[in-house]
């Protein structure tokens, strides 16, 4: 938990967090294994059948087409066992520092993100 608090409190040069207009909240999310490295700022969707997170994909039909949260740290998913990582469940974020599944753009998921308390802004 100490690491989580330090990570949330620190200022990162990637400018993912836009400001504190909206409360910044986190949660634990179980990632699907063998996805390679997922970057901080990746928008995640949850596969309904497994409850595991993958990069959101607007064309998916397994539940992961609905944006749920934003990955808080870079993660290598090429591991074994269970992989639970920290993700932001609310806050204001710089859309230019975010990532989504191949073929998508962040704006494809903006309405859904707003519904779950994640607001996108353009960092100047």
């Amino acid at each position: 938990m100490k690491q989580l608090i330090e990570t949330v409190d620190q200022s990162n040069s990637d400018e993912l967090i836009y400001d504190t207009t909206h409360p910044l909240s986190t949660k634990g999310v179980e990632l699907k294994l063998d996805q390679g490295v997922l970057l901080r700022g990746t928008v995640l969707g949850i596969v309904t059948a497994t409850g595991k997170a993958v990069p959101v994909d607007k064309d998916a039909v397994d539940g992961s087409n609905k944006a749920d949260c934003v990955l808080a740290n870079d993660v290598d998913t090429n591991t074994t066992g269970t992989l639970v990582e920290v993700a932001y469940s609310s806050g204001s974020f710089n859309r230019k520092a975010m990532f989504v599944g191949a073929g998508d753009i962040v704006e494809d998921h903006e309405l859904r993100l707003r519904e779950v308390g994640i607001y996108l802004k353009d960092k100047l």
Side-chain angles (χ1 to χ4, degrees), residues 29-33 35 38 44-47 50-55 64 68-69 77:
V29 63
E30 185 175 357
L31 298 173
K32 179 182 175 214
L33 300 179
Q35 300 182 78
L38 298 180
L44 301 173
I46 308 297
V47 176
T50 64
K52 295 181 181 178
V54 298
S64 65
D68 181 76
C69 54
T77 65

Side-chain angles (χ1 to χ4, degrees), residues 16-44:
L16 175 63
I17 298 169
Y18 183 86
D19 62 22
T20 57
T21 302
H22 300 94
L24 189 63
S25 299
T26 60
K27 67 179 184 176
V29 63
E30 185 175 357
L31 298 173
K32 179 182 175 214
L33 300 179
D34 299 320
Q35 300 182 78
V37 175
L38 298 180
L39 299 176
R40 170 179 159 82
T42 299
V43 179
L44 301 173

